[in-house]
């Protein structure tokens, strides 16, 4: 039988994993919300599907589930201030949204105008795993941004950007 690791050990180990930073937004009958997330990845390209993890204890969790839609906005390094606001530095949702330019996508979700890419999704299913809701979203629209900025990454509990290492091979 495997020994159970502590929450602190797991969190410290996961902090060493580099991940792109995203702002996940929603709007609908339950209201407009948004949060910063690194737990996002593709699930399938047939049909186009991705997943996002959201803390089920978040005050916004019920809003996302009720609206049944979300948009994943992939951030550039220039969005670091915005990532902080949507991670909780700005409690007021209007203040969060006032810090950037937005447009409305097919589902009605707000999309960051200068994101690297926006994935407009309808929630297909939600799985509760531990403390989090794993929201599986069917991608109904994609908007490729015109930004040439570097991706915003999160590793070792801080924001960074990719660096060019040169070409690979011999």
């Amino acid at each position: 039988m495997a020994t159970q690791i502590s929450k602190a050990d797991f969190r410290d180990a996961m902090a060493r994993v580099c991940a792109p930073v995203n702002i996940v937004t929603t709007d609908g009958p339950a209201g407009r919300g948004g949060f910063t997330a690194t737990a996002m990845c593709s699930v399938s390209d047939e049909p186009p599907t991705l997943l996002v993890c959201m803390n089920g204890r978040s005050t916004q969790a019920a809003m996302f589930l009720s609206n049944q839609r979300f948009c994943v906005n992939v951030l550039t390094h220039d969005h670091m201030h915005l990532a902080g606001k949507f991670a909780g530095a700005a409690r007021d949702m209007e203040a969060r949204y006032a810090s950037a330019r937005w447009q409305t996508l097919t589902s009605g979700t707000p999309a960051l105008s200068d994101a690297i890419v926006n994935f407009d999704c309808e929630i297909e299913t939600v799985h509760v795993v531990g403390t989090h809701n794993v929201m599986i979203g069917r991608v109904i629209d994609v908007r490729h941004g015109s930004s040439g900025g570097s991706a915003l990454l999160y590793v070792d509990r801080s924001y960074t950007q990719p660096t060019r290492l040169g070409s690979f091979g011999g």
Side-chain angles (χ1 to χ4, degrees), residues 133-157:
N133 293 331
V134 180
M135 299 184 294
I136 308 295
R138 186 174 45 82
V139 180
I140 60 170
D141 197 8
V142 173
R143 191 185 73 75
H144 298 272
S146 59
S147 173
S150 298
L152 180 60
L153 304 176
Y154 193 75
V155 66
D156 288 333
R157 295 186 173 94

Side-chain angles (χ1 to χ4, degrees), residues 3-169:
T3 305
Q4 185 173 0
I5 66 166
S6 72
K7 176 181 174 179
D9 284 344
F10 179 72
R11 290 180 71 141
D12 287 344
M14 288 305 298
R16 304 203 59 190
V17 177
C18 184
V21 182
N22 311 282
I23 291 177
V24 183
T25 57
T26 192
D27 200 355
R32 183 168 70 165
F35 66 99
T36 300
T38 56
M40 185 282 288
C41 68
S42 67
V43 174
S44 173
D45 64 356
E46 209 171 288
T49 311
L50 56 77
L51 70 78
V52 173
C53 297
M54 178 183 198
N55 192 320
R57 291 178 265 188
S58 166
T59 57
Q60 298 184 64
M63 175 191 308
F64 272 79
L65 298 180
S66 179
N67 286 342
Q68 285 293 295
R69 57 189 175 229
F70 61 85
C71 178
V72 175
N73 302 277
V74 181
L75 304 183
T76 69
H77 194 263
D78 294 337
H79 295 123
M80 189 182 317
H81 71 286
L82 197 58
K85 288 179 191 278
F86 276 83
R91 293 280 178 207
D92 179 64
M93 197 58 63
E94 292 307 313
R96 292 180 187 188
Y97 276 95
S99 300
R101 289 186 343 256
W102 303 88
Q103 61 188 73
T104 304
L105 294 182
T106 305
S107 73
T109 58
L112 183 61
S113 295
D114 59 347
I116 292 172
V117 65
N118 312 96
F119 296 95
D120 194 17
C121 302
E122 293 179 346
I123 295 178
E124 200 162 272
T125 188
V126 177
H127 300 278
V128 177
V129 180
T131 58
H132 280 63
N133 293 331
V134 180
M135 299 184 294
I136 308 295
R138 186 174 45 82
V139 180
I140 60 170
D141 197 8
V142 173
R143 191 185 73 75
H144 298 272
S146 59
S147 173
S150 298
L152 180 60
L153 304 176
Y154 193 75
V155 66
D156 288 333
R157 295 186 173 94
S158 64
Y159 297 116
T160 189
Q161 63 184 339
T163 56
R164 300 271 181 220
L165 298 175
S167 61
F168 292 95

